[in-house]
């Protein structure tokens, strides 16, 4: 479906399952495809996103966003506006403030790119 049709057909996710254990949510037989993707807000969701470290539900994702967040290059995902906050939807991560392990190197690299000089360049980026 095109984004306008998806928006008219499916409900926006309100965060009502945030903090629920993934196994408990699956036992309720709630379907992700009843909602719009919580990241792009334009496509029909197909899977439930969860924090694999804490096993807590983050929300429904479409296939594209699920791949981008889960197996895409972390540095590209983190460049999206609000990406870090989207990862910290998990209550366990929010309390401890770490990102999932696969993003650690990308965060350090982004920090160094913004604060360190490049070779002999006298300008600070």
């Amino acid at each position: 479906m095109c984004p306008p049709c998806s928006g008219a057909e499916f409900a926006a996710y309100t965060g009502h399952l945030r903090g629920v254990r993934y196994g408990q949510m699956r036992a309720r037989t709630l379907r992700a495809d009843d909602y719009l993707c919580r990241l792009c807000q334009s496509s029909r969701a197909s899977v439930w996103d969860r924090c694999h470290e804490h096993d807590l539900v983050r929300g429904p994702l479409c296939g594209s966003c699920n791949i981008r967040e889960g197996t895409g290059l972390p540095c590209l995902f983190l460049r999206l506006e609000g990406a870090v906050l989207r990862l910290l939807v998990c209550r366990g991560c929010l309390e401890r403030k770490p990102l999932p392990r696969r993003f650690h190197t990308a965060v350090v690299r982004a920090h160094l790119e913004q604060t360190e000089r490049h070779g002999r360049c006298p300008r600070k980026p």
Side-chain angles (χ1 to χ4, degrees):
M1 288 183 154
C2 68
C5 290
S6 289
E9 183 78 22
F10 304 105
Y13 178 68
T14 60
H16 58 281
L17 294 172
R18 190 176 297 153
V20 173
R21 293 253 175 238
Y22 182 70
Q24 292 172 340
M25 189 271 316
R26 291 205 44 165
R28 295 180 188 180
T29 64
L30 294 171
R31 298 173 48 107
D33 60 2
D34 290 337
Y35 299 96
L36 286 172
C37 174
R38 73 174 179 87
L39 293 181
C40 68
Q41 296 291 315
S42 62
S43 297
R44 182 181 187 182
S46 58
V47 297
W48 287 104
D49 179 35
R50 66 185 170 115
C51 172
H52 291 269
E53 190 168 326
H54 300 105
D55 198 41
L56 299 175
V57 173
R58 290 188 194 130
L61 292 181
C62 67
S64 297
C65 289
N66 189 41
I67 288 171
R68 186 180 327 154
E69 182 181 328
T71 60
L73 292 172
C75 59
L76 296 179
F77 178 77
L78 291 176
R79 288 182 185 158
L80 297 173
E81 185 177 335
V84 173
L85 293 176
R86 292 172 181 157
L87 292 171
L88 292 177
V89 167
C90 166
R91 287 184 183 162
C93 290
L94 186 59
E95 289 169 5
R96 292 188 16 226
K97 299 280 192 265
L99 290 175
R101 286 187 180 94
R102 70 181 294 271
F103 291 98
H104 289 188
T105 303
V107 169
V108 170
R109 182 175 290 150
H111 174 72
L112 290 175
E113 286 174 359
Q114 292 176 4
T115 59
E116 297 297 318
R117 292 192 170 114
H118 303 280
R120 295 181 184 168
C121 179
R123 272 185 354 150
K124 206 172 186 180

